[in-house]
Amino acid sequence: MIHFIHRKLRLEGIITRFFFWVIVIVFLTSFTYLLTYSAVDKKMRADQIKNSLRYSLSMQVATLENWTKDREEEVVLLSSFPVTKELDYEVMAARFNYFDHYYDQLNSIVYIDSDGYIRLDTGLDDTIVSDESLNVSDRDYFKVAEEGERSVYIIIEKLSTGEEAVIFASPVETEEGDFNGVLLTAVHLDRINEILSEMIQGDTGKITLATKDGEIISQLTKDASITFGSEREAELIDGTLFHDIQKAEEGFFEYKNKEGVDLYSVFSPLLDKQFILINEIETKEVLAPHNQMVFILSLMTMLIIIIAFVLFQPVTHSLLQPFNYLLHGIDRMKEGAYNTQLHPEKFATSPKELQQMMEVFNEMAVSINRNKRLLKQLSNTDGLTGIANRRLFEEHLQEQWERCYEQSIPISLIFIDIDHFKKYNDTFGHLEGDRCLIRIAQALERLLEHKDSLIARYGGEEFVIVLPTYTLKKAEQLALEIQRKIRNLSIKRSLDKEDEFVTVSIGIATTIPTSLVERETLIKKADDAVYEAKSQGRNTIIAFEM
């Protein structure tokens, strides 16, 4: 049927077929999309409002923390003035009235003497208070300041007016550090409400400021701001929400309040966990666009559901089969099977572009496989001498070490260092030095007979030979043969003396690998041996058995 459609509509190219079937599949998958849309979109919108509420809450917390820090710094500054410490009420009244006017965030500045009597209040017409009946020594902020707390903020009634306010208190101390009263600044709670009201979410958003015990201080919505003071009956946070709040430091919750309204809510502790700040929005408002879209998609799904059941499975299976085959080949390439080849003839009826892609894939696989082998060879070969480099040496040693460990057989390392090579370079030049290294490397390579043995350039004028199964005696015999072979090369070492030729110092280390011996120890022993050989006059063999 599919081939018939392609033929009748003359859909010969992959692009034309692709667009045709995209249009068909878009309609045929509408029902499947509808089934998943509700859950996915609902979760997405919940996540969005969750992130939005959390971001708004973090901004509110940061703003209030910074705001309270500024107020604390102000009250500490005022309490530390020399004129405050000297308790000159006339000068203090003038200075405090100036600051009350200058700092627009402050509603009043109050000084309370060490006995708890209010002596100055810039919120009154007469700043200097002569009424001896105003004693606040029983208030929490006075007690805390009297005990030496540097600064504290508490929600209380404003001292003179009875209005709800935020109090910032700091002890006043004499020059000797003795308690001499309390200085406090009062800020109407409306100041905080103004800050928070600018960050309300949506039309049904609500911000609640409460004490750590769940008693609501103020509640803000888009249309109203309610402050719960001492003159009103205390109201508590919804019990379900407060129960969740008590179990976590901060978080996001979905709950139904006592009016039966579903809400999304986030909360965070505030000001050293003295208060709780809560942001909420009704679930109905968040999901309104979602519900509308679900309704529209439901209508569309009803129109195409019959066609979807008939055509969706055969079309997708036929269309995706060659793609899956191609992807399977790509997966095999990713796994390292670079010799993978596809068979385009299996899909003779598929779009010609797909067959071309498979042919290109085969060419690419051949090229990658060839280049990989070449790169591996280059990465494991010393560029000057053509023998193995240090990287291949370490890989080969690890491999042979594990084999010898499993079979409990010996393994030997021979380090070979060309004697006086720096002097040779200085005498004959670096070009001749390179030729010398090449000749010695070729000579050493010809000496190796065991298929698992390896000669590598270790660095500079130093070579190393890995000899699995070699005992110390057998390794020493090979070392003697190496010295003889190098001497027979008759590489002159001096311009003046015809009978001085290049020699080598050799260090050998042999061991049977066990769990108590590491291969790095074998390398170090062989390196120490060659160092000892050079110390004993060069052209010498030193061997260690571990």
Side-chain angles (χ1 to χ4, degrees):
M1 181 179 180
I2 295 173
H3 304 316
F4 174 78
I5 294 173
H6 289 167
R7 189 167 58 253
K8 283 294 183 181
L9 297 179
R10 296 184 179 180
L11 302 176
E12 298 177 354
I14 189 172
I15 301 299
T16 54
R17 292 186 184 186
F18 176 79
F19 276 105
F20 173 79
W21 288 114
V22 163
I23 294 172
V24 173
I25 291 172
V26 164
F27 283 98
L28 297 182
T29 55
S30 296
F31 181 69
T32 304
Y33 176 76
L34 181 62
L35 294 178
T36 58
Y37 174 83
S38 180
V40 173
D41 187 67
K42 184 177 180 180
K43 184 179 184 306
M44 181 188 70
R45 293 181 185 275
D47 288 343
Q48 287 176 344
I49 196 62
K50 176 180 178 180
N51 293 333
S52 179
L53 286 172
R54 279 181 167 171
Y55 176 78
S56 179
L57 182 66
S58 66
M59 293 296 293
Q60 294 164 21
V61 170
T63 301
L64 289 178
E65 295 279 8
N66 290 333
W67 181 82
T68 54
K69 183 179 179 181
D70 291 340
R71 303 293 79 76
E72 285 184 322
E73 291 174 353
E74 289 168 2
V75 72
V76 172
L77 176 65
L78 291 170
S79 67
S80 63
F81 281 161
V83 67
T84 306
K85 295 179 180 294
E86 294 168 3
L87 300 184
D88 187 336
Y89 291 164
E90 292 291 337
V91 179
M92 288 169 67
R95 181 64 60 88
F96 290 171
N97 280 319
Y98 168 78
F99 273 91
D100 190 12
H101 176 73
Y102 181 78
Y103 291 106
D104 59 354
Q105 293 288 333
L106 303 181
N107 294 103
S108 66
I109 303 172
V110 179
Y111 168 70
I112 304 165
D113 67 15
S114 59
D115 295 320
Y117 292 99
I118 297 176
R119 297 305 184 187
L120 298 170
D121 188 347
T122 61
L124 302 177
D125 294 334
D126 188 359
T127 302
I128 300 176
V129 180
S130 57
D131 187 358
E132 293 284 338
S133 65
L134 298 177
N135 189 287
V136 294
S137 59
D138 60 334
R139 300 295 177 89
D140 288 341
Y141 63 82
F142 184 89
K143 294 177 181 179
V144 173
E146 187 177 23
E147 291 172 359
E149 187 70 28
R150 186 60 183 162
S151 61
V152 13
Y153 34 86
I154 310 172
I155 300 293
I156 63 167
E157 285 187 359
K158 190 176 178 184
L159 296 176
S160 302
T161 65
E163 295 177 353
E164 202 72 1
V166 183
I167 302 300
F168 296 83
S170 178
V172 177
E173 298 175 346
T174 65
E175 294 296 335
E176 291 75 27
D178 298 326
F179 177 71
N180 206 18
V182 178
L183 187 72
L184 60 85
T185 58
V187 183
H188 286 167
L189 199 57
D190 289 343
R191 294 283 188 179
I192 292 181
N193 291 343
E194 289 172 7
I195 295 172
L196 296 177
S197 63
E198 298 176 1
M199 305 180 189
I200 296 174
Q201 296 277 331
D203 295 327
T204 60
K206 181 169 64 177
I207 298 176
T208 302
L209 179 63
T211 67
K212 63 183 178 181
D213 298 319
E215 185 175 338
I216 297 176
I217 298 168
S218 66
Q219 210 165 59
L220 293 84
T221 63
K222 187 176 182 181
D223 302 317
S225 173
I226 303 173
T227 301
F228 297 84
S230 59
E231 297 179 0
R232 299 187 50 162
E233 182 178 351
E235 185 168 337
L236 300 177
I237 299 172
D238 186 277
T240 303
L241 178 61
F242 190 61
H243 176 72
D244 290 332
I245 289 175
Q246 288 180 313
K247 294 191 298 183
E249 287 288 327
E250 58 183 11
F252 173 83
F253 301 101
E254 298 179 46
Y255 78 102
K256 188 187 295 288
N257 65 14
K258 59 187 178 182
E259 287 83 22
V261 179
D262 292 314
L263 297 166
Y264 290 125
S265 176
V266 296
F267 79 93
S268 178
L270 183 66
L271 305 179
D272 294 330
K273 299 183 180 181
Q274 293 188 83
F275 309 102
I276 304 169
L277 189 60
I278 306 168
N279 277 12
E280 295 177 321
I281 190 170
E282 290 185 10
T283 305
K284 180 175 64 176
E285 178 183 353
V286 176
L287 298 181
H290 163 80
N291 294 332
Q292 183 180 9
M293 183 60 69
V294 168
F295 176 76
I296 294 172
L297 290 175
S298 298
L299 292 179
M300 294 176 59
T301 302
M302 294 301 294
L303 297 175
I304 62 173
I305 190 169
I306 297 176
I307 301 174
F309 275 107
V310 174
L311 296 179
F312 183 74
Q313 289 297 330
V315 169
T316 54
H317 176 75
S318 177
L319 190 62
L320 294 178
Q321 189 176 11
F323 286 101
N324 289 334
Y325 181 65
L326 183 59
L327 288 173
H328 178 69
I330 293 172
D331 288 339
R332 284 182 53 80
M333 288 282 288
K334 287 167 61 178
E335 293 169 359
Y338 297 107
N339 57 348
T340 300
Q341 291 289 291
L342 303 180
H343 302 283
E345 64 275 6
K346 290 183 178 180
F347 302 94
T349 58
S350 296
K352 58 183 181 181
E353 289 87 352
L354 267 177
Q355 299 177 47
Q356 292 171 356
M357 288 172 62
M358 294 180 189
E359 291 170 357
V360 171
F361 173 89
N362 289 339
E363 294 173 1
M364 179 185 66
V366 171
S367 177
I368 290 175
N369 195 28
R370 182 174 59 250
N371 291 336
K372 185 178 183 297
R373 289 197 303 269
L374 178 60
L375 285 173
K376 185 175 182 180
Q377 181 182 354
L378 291 174
S379 66
N380 290 332
T381 303
D382 178 59
L384 175 64
T385 62
I387 63 173
N389 60 13
R390 184 165 178 173
R391 174 182 174 181
L392 182 57
F393 156 70
E394 292 177 349
E395 292 177 358
H396 187 75
L397 177 59
Q398 177 65 28
E399 178 183 330
Q400 296 305 316
W401 180 273
E402 292 173 356
R403 183 171 72 87
C404 292
Y405 174 80
E406 292 173 358
Q407 300 178 13
S408 296
I409 57 177
I411 184 171
S412 296
L413 276 187
I414 296 180
F415 269 69
I416 304 161
D417 192 288
I418 302 174
D419 297 328
H420 303 292
F421 189 71
K422 182 179 184 305
K423 183 178 179 181
Y424 183 92
N425 269 336
D426 293 340
T427 303
F428 296 98
H430 288 282
L431 191 60
E432 283 299 320
D434 289 345
R435 290 196 183 100
C436 176
L437 289 171
I438 293 170
R439 291 184 64 187
I440 291 176
Q442 292 172 345
L444 293 174
E445 197 170 26
R446 286 192 292 268
L447 284 173
L448 296 184
E449 298 177 353
H450 198 284
K451 64 182 181 65
D452 292 325
S453 299
L454 177 76
I455 170 71
R457 187 180 178 193
Y458 195 72
E461 68 272 21
E462 197 168 15
F463 298 88
V464 62
I465 302 177
V466 181
L467 299 169
T469 74
Y470 271 57
T471 62
L472 182 64
K473 181 178 180 180
K474 191 174 179 182
E476 288 177 326
Q477 291 172 353
L478 179 61
L480 291 170
E481 180 64 18
I482 288 171
Q483 284 192 325
R484 186 189 64 79
K485 198 77 171 178
I486 299 303
R487 282 196 302 271
N488 290 343
L489 291 177
S490 300
I491 302 173
K492 289 185 179 181
R493 192 176 67 194
S494 173
L495 292 173
D496 302 328
K497 299 177 180 179
E498 293 292 330
D499 58 344
E500 286 191 2
F501 301 107
V502 169
T503 59
V504 293
S505 296
I506 298 176
I508 305 171
T510 301
T511 189
I512 297 177
T514 67
S515 59
L516 301 177
V517 181
E518 297 181 350
R519 64 185 181 91
E520 288 77 11
T521 306
L522 182 67
I523 296 173
K524 186 177 185 307
K525 279 291 184 182
D527 194 43
D528 290 345
V530 77
Y531 180 80
E532 180 66 23
K534 295 180 76 68
S535 300
Q536 292 186 14
R538 295 181 170 81
N539 195 23
T540 304
I541 299 172
I542 297 295
F544 292 135
E545 186 166 20
M546 300 164 54

